[in-house]
Amino acid sequence: MVDARGYACPKPVLMTEAEINKTNADEIIVLVDNRTAENNVANFAMSKGYKVTHDREGRDFKLILKK
Amino acid sequence: MSKKINPLIIVTGLIIGIAAILLTKYGNPKNMGFCIACFIRDIAGTTKLHTAPVVQYLRPEIVGIVLGSSIMAFASGEWRAKGGSSPALRFILGFMVMIGALIFLGCPLRMVIRMGGGDLNAFVGLAGFVVGILIGVLFLKKGFELKRNYDTANLDGLVLPIVLIILFVLFMIAWPTLSKYVADVKAEVEGATNSTPFAISTSGPGSMHAPIIMALAFGLIVGVLAQKSRMCMVGGIRDIVLFKNFNLITGFVAVFVAVLVGNIVLGNFKGFSVQSQPIAHSSEIWNFLGMVIVGWGSCLLGGCPLRQLILSGEGNADSAITVIGMLVGAAFAHNFSLAGGADPGMVDGVYKVFELNANGKFAAICCLIALLIISVTNLNKVEE
C-alpha cells in the first residue's frame, strides 16, 4: 500500500517504484489525490508489467496494481 | 512511466512558440515574447516593489496564464484547493529561482526562445539548467521531499487568481492615464506626470509590449493548454533522467522548433552567435550558474516557473506562495542590483561583455549554498 496523497509528481511515481522494488508484490494499492499523479503512476505501473484498475475514494484516486 | 508521447504537449509547445513570435512582432521585446520570470519582474516593477525604471509593466500574459489554468481546471473537475507543503521553503525556492533567472536573463521558457532566436549564450544557460536538474534529480533519488500538502479552504486556493484579477482591473482603469503619460514622455511634452499608483516604463523592455487584449488572449490559451498537457520545462529533462520518459521534453523541443521556424519565416533569424543578442549577456560563467540555480530550485519545487503559475490556477496555494516568492525575488534582484544586464557591446572598437557586479555574484553563490542546505536537510530516506 502506497499513500502518495498530498504529493506532486514525480514523488508518487518514485514511491510506487520503491514499493515495487522492496516488495515485488503481485498486488499494490496506490492512493493519490491528483489526476496527474494518477496517470503517471498508472503509466509507470503498466511499464513494469502491472494491470491497473482505477477507482475513486472520495476526492482521491485509488489505483490497484496487479501482476 | 509509459513511453507514449501526448500530442497535446507538442501542440502546447508549438502554440507557446507561435505566441512568443507573434507577441514579439506586435510589441514585446526581442526574444522575450513569452518569459515568466521577465513578466513577473515587470509586474514587481509596475507595483513599485522595485524601482528599476525600464522594467515596469503589468504583463497581461501572467494574468491570462493563471486564469486559463483555473478555467480549464474548473471545467475538467480538477480544481482543488491544496496547501501546507513546506510553504516557507517554497517561498524561498521561488525567490532563488527568480534570482538565478534574472542573472541569466530569462526563465527556462525564455532560454528556449533565445535558443530559437540564435542566441548561443542561451545554450550555455541550457547546459547550466541541465546540470541544475541533474543535481536536483540526484537528491530526489536520495529521497528529497517537501512535505505533503492537504486540502485547504477554497478561498486559499483562489487567492492568487483573485489578486491578479483585481490588479489587472485596476491597471486597466489606470491605463488611459498611463498610456497618455508614456506618449507624453516619448514626445518630450513638458510636465508629463503619472498620477496613477502604478509605475510604467517609458523606455527599455518594460515599455515594449503587445496589445493588451492580444497578450491576455495568448496567456489564456497557453494557460488552458499547459494545464491540460502538464507542460513543464524542468519536468522534460527530469523525466528523461528519472524514468527515461520523453513525453514532456517534446514540449520543450516544440517551443524551440516553432520559435526557430517563426524567426526564419519573419526574417529575424541572423544565424547563431554570442555577441549583441537582445537583452542578453555573454558573461558565460554567470549564464551557466544562473541556470544551475533555476534548474536545481525548480527541480526541488517540482516544476518550472510556468508550471508554478499553472498549479496556482488549479488551486495550489503552495505554488501561489512560490509565485509570490518569485515576485519578491524579482524585487530584491533589482533593489539590490543582483540582476544581469545586456552586454554594453562595441566600445572603442572592442566588444565589451557585461560584468555581473559583486552583489550578483555573492547572491548567486548564496543561492547555491542555500539550495544545497535545503536539499540535504529535506532528505526522507527512501526504503529500498
Side-chain angles (χ1 to χ4, degrees):
Chain A
M1 166 91 170
V2 177
D3 184 357
R5 287 174 298 177
Y7 288 107
C9 275
K11 191 78 186 171
V13 178
L14 289 171
M15 289 165 81
T16 307
E17 185 181 35
E19 182 74 7
I20 290 173
N21 289 344
K22 192 177 98 184
T23 64
N24 203 21
D26 289 338
E27 182 174 322
I28 297 170
I29 292 171
V30 183
L31 291 174
V32 293
D33 67 358
N34 61 83
R35 213 170 282 163
T36 313
E38 183 203 11
N39 291 334
N40 287 347
V41 170
N43 287 335
F44 175 77
M46 285 190 284
S47 76
K48 291 281 175 188
Y50 285 87
K51 281 205 177 103
V52 181
T53 316
H54 296 254
D55 205 353
R56 292 297 290 255
E57 206 172 83
R59 297 187 70 182
D60 300 325
F61 303 87
K62 183 175 171 184
L63 297 160
I64 303 153
L65 320 181
K66 278 188 184 163
K67 268 249 164 90
Chain B
M1 256 186 242
S2 86
K3 304 289 188 287
K4 264 189 311 189
I5 306 291
N6 177 2
L8 193 63
I9 192 103
I10 299 174
V11 172
T12 307
L14 291 175
I15 296 285
I16 289 178
I18 292 166
I21 289 291
L22 288 177
L23 287 167
T24 299
K25 182 172 165 54
Y26 288 96
N28 276 11
K30 276 189 184 166
N31 287 358
M32 206 192 279
F34 229 96
C35 170
I36 310 305
C38 317
F39 291 176
I40 289 178
R41 171 205 60 200
D42 291 352
I43 292 177
T46 195
T47 51
K48 297 179 185 168
L49 298 178
H50 70 67
T51 52
V54 292
V55 281
Q56 299 170 329
Y57 178 63
L58 196 125
R59 295 279 174 190
E61 291 92 339
I62 296 290
V63 183
I65 291 168
V66 174
L67 294 189
S69 163
S70 293
I71 291 165
M72 192 66 214
F74 274 113
S76 61
E78 283 187 61
W79 194 91
R80 188 169 176 183
K82 303 282 281 184
S85 164
S86 312
L89 281 177
R90 285 181 190 273
F91 176 93
I92 210 71
L93 285 168
F95 183 102
M96 293 191 292
V97 164
M98 182 57 90
I99 301 282
L102 292 182
I103 285 174
F104 163 72
L105 292 174
C107 68
L109 209 47
R110 181 168 189 244
M111 176 186 76
V112 179
I113 290 168
R114 282 172 56 177
M115 287 162 58
D119 180 349
L120 283 178
N121 304 299
F123 286 84
V124 178
L126 173 66
F129 186 57
V130 172
V131 167
I133 293 171
L134 290 177
I135 300 171
V137 166
L138 193 76
F139 284 106
L140 284 179
K141 279 190 158 177
K142 284 187 173 297
F144 172 87
E145 66 177 41
L146 296 173
K147 293 297 172 197
R148 64 157 295 182
N149 64 25
Y150 294 89
D151 286 321
T152 178
N154 282 344
L155 198 54
D156 201 15
L158 285 169
V159 168
L160 193 73
I162 290 173
V163 167
L164 283 175
I165 291 172
I166 292 172
L167 260 184
F168 184 66
V169 170
L170 290 175
F171 190 78
M172 284 297 90
I173 294 169
W175 184 243
T177 313
L178 288 169
S179 51
K180 182 178 181 307
Y181 167 71
V182 173
D184 283 353
V185 170
K186 284 184 176 167
E188 297 182 13
V189 174
E190 263 188 56
T193 50
N194 170 11
S195 56
T196 77
F198 292 98
I200 188 87
S201 295
T202 56
S203 64
S207 70
M208 303 163 79
H209 54 84
I212 291 171
I213 288 292
M214 185 184 179
L216 184 67
F218 271 122
L220 281 166
I221 293 167
V222 169
V224 164
L225 287 171
Q227 196 283 330
K228 195 72 195 158
S229 67
R230 282 70 162 124
M231 172 94 175
C232 178
M233 308 307 280
V234 171
I237 295 164
R238 178 197 69 202
D239 286 357
I240 292 177
V241 183
L242 264 182
F243 308 117
K244 297 187 177 55
N245 177 307
F246 290 81
N247 181 42
L248 286 177
I249 197 72
T250 56
F252 190 105
V253 175
V255 176
F256 175 73
V257 170
V259 171
L260 183 63
V261 170
N263 276 327
I264 291 170
V265 168
L266 292 180
N268 299 333
F269 191 76
K270 308 273 187 288
F272 289 98
S273 80
V274 171
Q275 295 185 345
S276 302
Q277 292 296 330
I279 317 167
H281 60 75
S282 42
S283 188
E284 305 303 357
I285 176 84
W286 301 106
N287 279 330
F288 182 86
L289 288 178
M291 287 312 282
V292 169
I293 296 169
V294 174
W296 190 352
S298 298
C299 200
L300 300 185
L301 282 166
C304 70
L306 171 69
R307 184 85 185 126
Q308 300 302 328
L309 288 179
I310 297 298
L311 289 168
S312 309
E314 292 176 17
N316 190 317
D318 296 315
S319 287
I321 289 285
T322 309
V323 171
I324 296 166
M326 290 196 281
L327 184 77
V328 176
F332 269 77
H334 284 283
N335 289 339
F336 285 66
S337 307
L338 315 175
D343 280 345
M346 295 306 281
V347 179
D348 300 330
V350 183
Y351 188 85
K352 214 167 163 346
V353 173
F354 167 80
E355 176 73 30
L356 188 68
N357 66 25
N359 295 10
K361 292 174 183 171
F362 181 70
I365 303 298
C366 287
C367 285
L368 290 168
I369 295 169
L371 284 167
L372 183 64
I373 293 171
I374 292 172
S375 300
V376 171
T377 54
N378 284 276
L379 294 180
N380 185 5
K381 192 149 172 45
V382 179
E383 291 173 47
E384 294 292 340

